Amino acid sequence: PIGGRTYYIASQHQPSNNNRAPYLSTMSSSPIVELLGSPQVVVGFGATTLVLLATTFFYLKKNNEGSNGRGAASSSSALEKAEELDSEKYPGGHLTIYYGSQTGTAQMFAKQIASESESRGFRSRVVDIQDVVDNEDLRAVSEIATLDASASKNTINVVNDEDGSLIRATLTHPHYREGNVVEGRSRAIFLVATYGEGEPTDNAQQFVEMMKSKSGIRDIYNLEDSGLISVDSCVRMGIEVEEEDGEEEKKNDSGSSSNDMILDSRSFLSDLDYAVFGLGNKQYEHYNNMSRFMDASLAKCGASRIAPLGLGDDDDDLEGDFENWKDNVLWPALTEKFVKGGAADALAAARKNSDVLELPDCPYEVEYLEDGASRKVDLDMIQTSSKHYMQAWDCPIVASRELRDPSDPGSTVHMEIDISKHMSSLKYQTADNLGILPKNDSALVELVAKSLSFDLDQLFHLTPSAGETATKHTLPFPTPCTVRDCLERYCDLTGSPRRSDLKQLAPYARDEMDRKALLRMSSKEGKAEYKEKIVEGHVGIGDIVTRLCPSIVCPLEHFIMVCPRLQPRYYTISSSSTVYPKTIHITYALLESEKKDGGKFTGLCSGYLSSLSKGDMVRVFVRDSTFRLPKQPERPIIMIGPGTGIAPMRALLQERAYERKSIGDVQGPNILYFGCKNRSLDYIYRDELEAFSNDGTMTELHLAFSREQAEKVYVQHLLAQRGAETWKLIDDGKASIFVCGAVKMGADVDHTLQDIMVQHGGMSREKAKAYLGKLQTAGRFVQELWS
């Protein structure tokens, strides 16, 4: 421990042989022309911190003894030199690309930049942002401390600050600096996705917390009002702050002044040049919140912005936004700043003359195994965006029933899953999220394997290719596994591929017309056609390789590289962990629609679940949600959950009923707003909700049946009708507000709450919005929405 804190290194846990996760035991004329119409265990170790300090001071001492006043240039002799590059091939030098990704899209964009880097004059590397936190390179930490000392930086706080050591050891690694190793600079591109309601992705959470600390940004949802470290924060860190001029400056426990501490944060990354692109969705209120935070926090730590912040909107054309920023903002800025004179002209000419379509380099190699052969599964090699594969367990379905009336053409299902054999791994809290790993339809898997000449029963092991550095977080999923498991569980065969995926597929098409069609669809000019034919047509890679472009010939390792990963689907748990500790309940709607070609599109996960029966196994894992009942049971809760958004409200009501009956808690009002089309068709959980009303658990039940009258009525309309009562519950009663459902509904409810605060709370629109933001920060306004 240093300064009351403990130093941690994070890595994946290798399950014991008698309790390993299930993925370890899985050994077992052209049609497209017609379609297109043209030819991580966390290990805490205080001792390692001591080693880090001893190593750091050893380097500092060695450096001081060896320099004898020769100056900063000779002080780098104790360091490993920066990697030397061919200046003709890489006139721009080193470029590191970090990604924070939940579904793999940011990682894909990072790889696109990396693939273009050499032609632009840069030597690039792609780094999972989790690796900043997991950095185990103590030598790099020591070298950075030595460099900072040589450059006359204040290193006392860095040595005593584990977050600072980790960040600088990665972002300003001495091996990837440009110019003098002591005074040189590092360059970094950050591709950062925003998850949910303005939150970081799983692999960026710890890094974001570090940057909040270093930048002094306290409120990530209100960046404009976030200053540097406040006086209160300084006091909490043991720094006595002077409030009167002329007095002697106070010191903290380490001997550094408070001003030094703040200045350290402001110049902490002053030797870093950076650019940020964000992946977001404008349907959500906190659009691209994480990229905005990343851009602001890096700037507040002294880093220099290379190019303006780029924002991509997945509700419109995320890939187009990225391409525009990459081609028209990022590369021109990098070239102007770092690729000088004739080198830039020569590279541009080479790109213009290079129109040969070649097979892309593959970062993987496949080793086919004989029956009974085995290979060690190194979990540290698996990408953090794929960590759910290692956290999931096969559990039996113990109940499944239809909730809608038989006369309703739609389907909403209540399902119960037995977790009793995996209680330690799948322990949940009321209204957490359940991640489900769906499987592709077996018939489609058979067709893909036949088209590509894959042996479904063949066992294989995936490794980094010979030309790739075997670093952490390199591989997309755990192996050994069979080809069948690979196609069923890990490859997204039905989701619409992005335009960049089509471009990657094109070189594998032997038919020229197929190849040209794929390239046309992948181009900027083909965006409209791509949207119509691929996205709106619900065409997946499975359709392309089996039906639309059967001339594709693709080795397994290349198909794994090109095909997007199959992502988990999340459902808010509809059961109380207190009432049902050994089972998890979910509520899902079957997604079905008619395709343009007359076929039927079925949602992958909902279709997969609907094909299962009692006794069948489903692979699941638990993830925390933001739904938490107030610690003071006497406080009211206002629940707004139409349709399947009722799921967490059912769980919360079960919990409140238990607390009231079994513990005898004195509770505040429990108020629910629920909506559906018609009470006789899709009023799901009707019996349970009426029972909660009758036994006193639910104080008020407000129902919006949108199709029972000429003018549609929704939950936000009922909420507006009770504006005065709602404001009194929020302001006087300190009520918590929980919202679950579609993004559009969530936005309407948010606007209605602002209206209530303006009308009954006497606020301006701006203050009402800020008030809601404070409620959100305090955990009193919680939304889980989906688009």
Side-chain angles (χ1 to χ4, degrees):
I2 296 181
R5 301 172 61 192
T6 302
Y7 190 83
Y8 289 95
I9 292 293
S11 62
Q12 297 285 5
H13 172 55
Q14 172 68 51
S16 60
N17 289 333
N18 60 353
N19 191 32
R20 58 180 64 235
Y23 71 87
L24 292 176
S25 58
T26 56
M27 313 308 175
S28 42
S29 109
S30 169
I32 197 168
V33 173
E34 295 178 9
L35 172 74
L36 301 179
S38 78
Q40 68 224 165
V41 168
V42 175
V43 181
F45 57 112
T48 300
T49 304
L50 299 179
V51 173
L52 175 108
L53 286 170
T55 306
T56 300
F57 287 121
F58 169 78
Y59 273 104
L60 290 171
K61 184 173 184 293
K62 181 177 179 181
N63 181 64
N64 291 335
E65 291 174 348
S67 63
N68 293 321
R70 288 191 299 258
S74 63
S75 68
S76 63
S77 59
L79 304 170
E80 291 188 25
K81 294 182 179 179
E83 182 183 0
E84 295 184 4
L85 299 179
D86 182 339
S87 60
E88 291 188 4
K89 187 175 183 180
Y90 303 112
H94 290 281
L95 185 66
T96 304
I97 308 155
Y98 298 91
Y99 64 88
S101 183
Q102 192 72 23
T103 63
T105 305
Q107 181 182 8
M108 180 189 72
F109 287 173
K111 291 180 177 179
Q112 283 188 40
I113 293 177
S115 68
E116 299 175 14
S117 294
E118 184 172 327
S119 68
R120 299 281 182 168
F122 293 87
R123 171 71 177 274
S124 67
R125 63 187 183 121
V126 175
V127 178
D128 187 321
I129 205 166
Q130 179 71 37
D131 286 347
V132 178
V133 180
D134 289 354
N135 193 339
E136 297 177 16
D137 187 353
L138 298 184
R139 183 181 182 89
V141 176
S142 302
E143 291 178 358
I144 285 296
T146 306
L147 288 173
D148 290 345
S150 302
S152 300
K153 286 177 178 272
N154 179 358
T155 61
I156 295 176
N157 290 315
V158 174
V159 171
N160 285 276
D161 178 8
E162 301 84 50
D163 289 356
S165 299
L166 287 172
I167 293 172
R168 284 192 55 75
T170 306
L171 300 190
T172 64
H173 197 295
H175 300 182
Y176 305 102
R177 290 182 176 228
E178 302 307 321
N180 183 291
V181 71
V182 174
E183 299 175 355
R185 302 181 63 79
S186 300
R187 299 163 193 159
I189 309 300
F190 293 85
L191 302 170
V192 185
T194 296
Y195 182 70
E197 294 302 314
E199 300 158 8
T201 58
D202 289 345
N203 74 321
Q205 285 180 353
Q206 290 172 283
F207 182 75
V208 166
E209 289 303 313
M210 287 181 174
M211 290 303 295
K212 284 170 65 178
S213 171
K214 295 305 300 180
S215 67
I217 294 178
R218 302 178 298 280
D219 184 358
I220 63 173
Y221 297 103
N222 192 12
L223 296 176
E224 292 79 4
D225 293 342
S226 291
L228 290 172
I229 301 175
S230 65
V231 171
D232 289 343
S233 298
C234 291
V235 171
R236 287 195 297 272
M237 289 187 284
I239 304 170
E240 295 183 27
V241 181
E242 276 298 317
E243 297 187 3
E244 298 292 333
D245 293 334
E247 294 189 16
E248 183 180 354
E249 194 174 13
K250 302 293 181 68
K251 308 288 182 178
N252 63 19
D253 293 338
S254 68
S256 300
S257 71
S258 57
N259 285 344
D260 283 342
M261 185 67 161
I262 296 174
L263 286 173
D264 278 352
S265 292
R266 290 178 178 174
S267 60
F268 174 62
L269 294 174
S270 59
D271 47 1
L272 178 71
D273 298 318
Y274 78 95
V276 178
F277 180 82
L279 296 80
N281 189 314
K282 282 188 176 177
Q283 288 196 46
Y284 292 86
E285 180 183 359
H286 299 289
Y287 171 61
N288 258 309
N289 191 56
M290 277 301 106
S291 59
R292 297 175 191 270
F293 164 78
M294 193 69 70
D295 183 66
S297 63
L298 289 166
K300 286 198 172 186
C301 286
S304 297
R305 189 180 291 108
I306 302 170
L309 170 66
L311 301 178
D313 179 16
D314 200 29
D315 189 44
D316 184 15
D317 184 11
L318 175 63
E319 200 162 19
D321 293 336
F322 170 68
E323 289 174 346
N324 181 64
W325 179 80
K326 172 175 62 71
D327 297 339
N328 301 319
V329 179
L330 178 65
W331 285 130
L334 287 170
T335 299
E336 180 181 359
K337 190 173 181 64
F338 303 118
V339 183
K340 305 299 183 183
D345 296 334
L347 289 166
R351 288 194 303 273
K352 186 175 182 179
N353 295 329
S354 178
D355 57 359
V356 178
L357 193 64
E358 299 178 347
L359 287 181
D361 292 333
C362 184
Y364 314 126
E365 289 182 357
V366 165
E367 177 190 4
Y368 290 104
L369 305 176
E370 300 296 330
D371 291 343
S374 63
R375 291 290 185 275
K376 181 182 178 180
V377 179
D378 187 352
L379 302 186
D380 282 343
M381 294 292 291
I382 308 304
Q383 296 165 0
T384 55
S385 59
S386 300
K387 68 180 183 180
H388 47 266
Y389 295 138
M390 286 81 76
Q391 298 172 334
W393 296 87
D394 285 323
C395 297
I397 295 170
V398 292
S400 181
R401 69 176 188 273
E402 176 61 52
L403 294 174
R404 297 197 197 189
D405 187 84
S407 61
D408 191 312
S411 173
T412 302
V413 177
H414 171 86
M415 181 174 283
E416 300 177 14
I417 299 167
D418 181 6
I419 61 170
S420 59
K421 292 185 178 179
H422 306 290
M423 292 289 288
S424 60
S425 300
L426 297 177
K427 185 177 181 180
Y428 74 102
Q429 295 187 61
T430 297
D432 269 349
N433 296 147
L434 186 71
I436 294 181
L437 300 184
K439 293 168 62 176
N440 286 308
D441 180 72
S442 58
L444 177 59
V445 168
E446 296 276 355
L447 286 173
V448 170
K450 182 178 180 180
S451 295
L452 299 177
S453 300
F454 294 161
D455 180 356
L456 288 173
D457 297 321
Q458 177 68 60
L459 190 69
F460 74 93
H461 183 228
L462 198 64
T463 61
S465 63
E468 293 287 318
T469 304
T471 59
K472 292 174 64 175
H473 308 144
T474 299
L475 301 176
F477 52 83
T479 59
C481 70
T482 63
V483 175
R484 185 184 303 276
D485 281 326
C486 170
L487 297 181
E488 277 189 345
R489 295 189 177 276
Y490 303 136
C491 294
D492 188 352
L493 303 178
T494 59
S496 298
R498 294 192 180 273
R499 288 187 290 116
S500 56
D501 297 325
L502 300 183
K503 185 176 182 179
Q504 280 193 295
L505 271 176
Y508 302 100
R510 294 175 296 175
D511 185 285
E512 184 179 359
M513 297 183 74
D514 288 346
R515 189 162 55 250
K516 287 182 176 180
L518 290 170
L519 288 173
R520 186 177 70 251
M521 296 285 284
S522 70
S523 68
K524 295 178 183 178
E525 295 74 21
K527 286 194 298 185
E529 188 179 12
Y530 160 80
K531 182 178 180 181
E532 177 188 356
K533 304 297 184 179
I534 302 296
V535 178
E536 296 175 357
H538 296 293
V539 169
I541 281 184
D543 294 314
I544 292 173
V545 301
T546 62
R547 180 169 58 88
L548 303 174
C549 194
S551 71
I552 287 177
V553 175
C554 190
L556 179 60
E557 60 268 31
H558 285 253
F559 186 75
I560 291 170
M561 174 187 71
V562 172
C563 188
R565 297 282 72 76
L566 188 54
Q567 297 297 325
R569 271 56 169 178
Y570 293 99
Y571 296 87
T572 308
I573 294 172
S574 55
S575 55
S576 160
S577 56
T578 304
V579 181
Y580 298 99
K582 296 184 179 181
T583 58
I584 288 178
H585 302 180
I586 61 170
T587 309
Y588 73 89
L590 178 62
L591 176 61
E592 290 183 325
S593 61
E594 186 175 337
K595 297 172 69 172
K596 289 188 174 183
D597 62 4
K600 182 176 71 173
F601 169 76
T602 302
L604 175 63
C605 194
S606 62
Y608 166 66
L609 291 174
S610 69
S611 71
L612 302 177
S613 303
K614 182 178 179 180
D616 288 339
M617 307 294 279
V618 60
R619 192 163 292 185
V620 300
F621 63 95
V622 171
R623 188 182 68 177
D624 291 345
S625 81
T626 49
F627 286 110
R628 293 292 181 263
L629 285 169
K631 294 180 180 179
Q632 301 90 338
E634 68 276 8
R635 289 189 173 182
I637 61 172
I638 302 171
M639 299 165 284
I640 305 166
T644 54
I646 190 65
M649 315 313 171
R650 177 180 185 261
L652 296 176
L653 286 168
Q654 288 178 354
E655 189 77 11
R656 288 283 238 188
Y658 173 83
E659 291 174 351
R660 176 171 164 270
K661 295 176 183 177
S662 302
I663 303 177
D665 281 345
V666 177
Q667 292 182 348
N670 300 317
I671 301 165
L672 173 65
Y673 290 84
F674 173 75
C676 61
K677 293 181 299 184
N678 188 293
R679 75 185 73 215
S680 63
L681 296 178
D682 55 346
Y683 183 3
I684 62 176
Y685 294 121
R686 178 175 183 170
D687 293 344
E688 293 185 27
L689 296 182
E690 291 177 349
F692 283 133
S693 292
N694 293 334
D695 69 11
T697 298
M698 188 154 52
T699 312
E700 298 176 21
L701 174 60
H702 302 284
L703 301 170
F705 301 113
S706 61
R707 304 299 197 274
E708 288 191 1
Q709 57 282 315
E711 186 175 349
K712 294 180 180 179
V713 176
Y714 297 111
V715 288
Q716 62 267 24
H717 300 141
L718 301 184
L719 186 66
Q721 292 172 10
R722 297 185 53 79
E725 296 89 337
T726 300
W727 172 243
K728 186 175 181 180
L729 287 169
I730 295 171
D731 189 43
D732 294 342
K734 309 301 180 187
S736 294
I737 308 166
F738 302 106
V739 184
C740 186
V743 170
K744 177 64 167 61
M745 179 277 303
D748 290 339
V749 167
D750 187 289
H751 193 271
T752 299
L753 289 171
Q754 290 182 37
D755 288 342
I756 289 172
M757 291 168 185
V758 169
Q759 182 178 355
H760 301 283
M763 301 180 187
S764 66
R765 176 67 61 177
E766 292 74 19
K767 287 187 176 180
K769 187 174 182 179
Y771 187 89
L772 270 182
K774 291 179 179 179
L775 292 182
Q776 185 176 37
T777 302
R780 287 179 52 200
F781 179 43
V782 180
Q783 293 180 295
E784 285 202 357
L785 309 173
W786 56 83
S787 57

